Amino acid sequence: MSDEQIQVKTRELYAQLTGKISLPCTLHVSGTGNLASYYPVTPLVAASVALAGITVSQLLALRNGKHDTVTVDRRLASLWCKTSIRPDGWDIPPAWDSLAGDYATADGWIRLHTNAPVHRKAVETLLGKAENREALALRVLMWKKAELEQALVQAGGCAAQMLSPQEWQQHVQGKSLIAEPLFQHSLSVKAAPPQWELSPQRPLAGVKVLDLTRIIAGPVATRFLAGLGADVLRIDPFGWDEPSQEADVTPGKHCTRLNLHNPQDRHRFEELLRDADVIVHGYRAGALHKLGYGSEQRRTIAPGLVDVCLNAYGWNGPWRERRGFDSLVQMSCGIAEQGMQKSGSQKPVPLPVQALDHATGYLMAAAVLQGLAQRVETGQGSETRLSLARTARELMENNPQADNEPPIGSTGQADYSVEPEHTVWGTGWRLRPPVWLENSRLVWEFPASPLGSAPAIWR
């Protein structure tokens, strides 16, 4: 029954992406287990991975006329949502800042996101410097959750009060998502026909992907594209680091830095964009426009561009420009509250992994692949928008988690590739790919690398 749930969900996602009801190829589901959750996390994640694989099959069929069967492993798809690499003799830094987390307020709960120094500074400016969570908790307790959320957002911070699903549905931003599709897709100008080979061995060889994404969904999308052979160049601003994520999301990518406020770096960025086939970005709505690189400007610089973008809370409504992360969206839309209610806990209970990020990442990869197929067929570029909040709705509207699958536990050696990955941090073992085609496999050509470790050039 649970495998059927993945099959059904994959067909639903494919219909939302393409408008077509039937899958173009055969889909097999392998593996066993579910991540323990009150929501169908494993079925949604596995279906999102499957959709990405199906769009690979669809793209390759434009060259060879044959749709390869796609196989998704539900266990591996779930494990990739934790971490994809197991270090051998070295450690990955903690995922969370010491002050990040859920705090009781005078009338409920709020989550503070302090991983970025600027976001921690906003908390400490408003609430005072805190040596530890216990000291900060006493100050948070004096606030009402809505007032503290608003104050921190106005101060440039990141926070989300805990709402129930019903409260979110009545919230002005929740209402704005009702009519918002999972994939907001539009076609743009035509360009010269692409010369991509589209070989089964390296489906995206020769495809240049400009990656302007950060934690976590966007990097998951571009990691998938890199595994298909795309030339992925990730660009970060100076001073931005993700020490807990780099080894996980950068295999097969080159990572550089540019300051888009600097004229010389802007010129270099425009040169890179002009040669790009794809741009994937996770800037808040309007942020690139303010830098002079809105949708129209990107299309002018790079006609035929496949443009896929993400934000946290959706592309309509007053929160379209609000900073947000998976853990915050879970608080806002009612996932954490439902977990608390169903478990009988006295505090928020989120999903067992950052599933909104990971599922959305694979949906973004599928949108890129669909855009590449349209480019091959019609010569037209495209723009597709997704959001974490809209993915949350996809999860919450699903049937409850099927209970006939065993829980997915910790990884074993059989879950990892037989060859080690030699990174600058040390040797590690990468999980086996969660999806494959008859003649195509995800293969990352070089190991993960630190942000800013490469020049700003296409290879």
Side-chain angles (χ1 to χ4, degrees):
M1 174 62 187
S2 193
D3 283 356
E4 176 60 24
Q5 194 176 14
I6 293 171
Q7 293 272 359
V8 169
K9 191 62 197 174
T10 304
R11 290 194 291 271
E12 291 176 0
L13 295 176
Y14 183 75
Q16 292 184 75
L17 176 63
T18 67
K20 299 175 182 178
I21 298 174
S22 300
L23 297 181
C25 60
T26 301
L27 172 65
H28 291 316
V29 179
S30 66
T32 59
N34 278 326
L35 290 170
S37 175
Y38 297 101
Y39 288 101
V41 171
T42 287
L44 176 62
V45 169
S48 301
V49 174
L51 181 67
I54 288 166
T55 51
V56 176
S57 178
Q58 182 175 263
L59 178 63
L60 292 175
L62 296 177
R63 283 285 189 264
N64 59 36
K66 177 181 178 292
H67 287 91
D68 276 6
T69 296
V70 174
T71 302
V72 62
D73 186 303
R74 61 184 302 141
R75 172 180 167 82
L76 288 170
S78 302
L79 292 175
W80 274 79
C81 294
K82 297 180 179 180
T83 180
S84 66
I85 192 167
R86 187 181 72 187
D88 186 1
W90 54 284
D91 295 317
I92 295 175
W96 299 103
D97 174 74
S98 62
L99 296 183
D102 301 330
Y103 291 84
T105 66
D107 61 346
W109 287 86
I110 192 169
R111 184 169 185 85
L112 308 182
H113 200 287
T114 57
N115 278 13
V118 65
H119 299 155
R120 176 163 176 153
K121 182 179 179 181
V123 168
E124 294 187 325
T125 298
L126 183 67
L127 299 174
K129 284 194 174 292
E131 295 298 323
N132 50 49
R133 284 177 53 87
E134 291 73 23
L136 184 60
L138 296 175
R139 301 169 197 172
V140 173
L141 195 58
M142 300 172 64
W143 285 76
K144 291 186 176 181
K145 59 181 184 177
E147 293 173 358
L148 181 54
E149 177 190 68
Q150 184 62 25
L152 284 170
V153 169
Q154 288 180 340
C158 281
Q161 61 173 308
M162 186 177 75
L163 301 175
S164 69
Q166 296 74 27
E167 289 172 327
W168 179 241
Q169 289 167 10
Q170 295 304 312
H171 190 280
V172 62
Q173 190 61 30
K175 289 180 178 179
S176 75
L177 287 167
I178 292 174
E180 193 163 300
L182 184 62
F183 301 94
Q184 293 188 47
H185 185 73
S186 60
L187 293 174
S188 62
V189 297
K190 286 191 176 183
Q195 301 301 310
W196 310 316
E197 183 179 348
L198 301 181
S199 70
Q201 292 73 32
R202 303 302 287 149
L204 297 189
V207 176
K208 294 182 173 66
V209 178
L210 208 52
D211 178 1
L212 275 66
T213 66
R214 303 178 195 168
I215 302 172
I216 292 174
V220 166
T222 53
R223 180 181 64 192
F224 188 88
L225 301 176
L228 295 170
D231 182 359
V232 177
L233 180 62
R234 172 168 168 162
I235 298 176
D236 288 283
F238 292 93
W240 177 265
D241 291 295
E242 297 176 7
S244 68
Q245 296 295 319
E246 291 174 340
D248 190 28
V249 300
T250 63
K253 305 179 187 180
H254 292 288
C255 302
T256 192
R257 297 189 189 275
L258 290 175
N259 176 5
L260 295 185
H261 297 281
N262 175 284
Q264 185 175 350
D265 282 8
R266 287 174 65 88
H267 178 70
R268 185 72 198 111
F269 172 74
E270 290 169 19
E271 289 182 329
L272 293 168
L273 179 58
R274 190 170 292 112
D275 290 336
D277 301 296
V278 177
I279 184 170
V280 184
H281 55 96
Y283 281 75
R284 288 175 294 142
L288 277 180
H289 179 79
K290 292 173 183 175
L291 285 168
Y293 300 116
S295 296
E296 291 185 8
Q297 288 83 2
R298 297 194 298 272
R299 285 196 294 268
T300 299
I301 294 171
L305 187 68
V306 175
D307 192 324
V308 174
C309 40
L310 169 76
N311 75 3
Y313 284 104
W315 295 90
N316 301 285
W319 284 15
R320 64 189 299 269
E321 296 189 17
R322 177 173 288 213
R323 295 176 179 87
F325 297 90
D326 183 315
S327 58
L328 299 182
V329 174
Q330 288 191 46
M331 288 289 277
S332 298
C333 71
I335 290 174
E337 193 272 346
Q338 279 294 280
M340 183 176 80
Q341 294 296 335
K342 290 182 179 294
S343 67
S345 177
Q346 299 301 308
K347 60 182 181 180
V349 177
L351 301 176
V353 293
Q354 304 282 279
L356 305 182
D357 266 328
H358 287 270
T360 306
Y362 292 111
L363 297 178
M364 293 171 73
V368 168
L369 289 155
Q370 175 71 8
L372 293 174
Q374 288 180 329
R375 176 75 194 283
V376 170
E377 290 185 291
T378 70
Q380 286 180 286
S382 60
E383 181 176 323
T384 308
R385 296 176 174 181
L386 300 92
S387 74
L388 298 179
R390 183 57 183 80
T391 301
R393 188 178 125 199
E394 201 69 22
L395 175 69
M396 298 174 75
E397 289 181 349
N398 261 344
N399 295 322
Q401 175 88 295
D403 58 5
N404 59 338
E405 287 285 340
I408 293 175
S410 58
T411 58
Q413 188 60 46
D415 295 315
Y416 294 91
S417 298
V418 295
E419 294 294 331
E421 182 175 324
H422 301 288
T423 76
V424 297
W425 303 284
T427 299
W429 301 90
R430 187 75 58 180
L431 284 170
R432 292 189 291 113
V435 64
W436 57 91
L437 281 64
E438 292 173 64
N439 299 297
S440 305
R441 297 289 188 273
L442 292 169
V443 177
W444 290 273
E445 295 179 15
F446 41 87
S449 58
L451 301 187
S453 59
I457 57 173
W458 294 113
R459 55 188 164 107

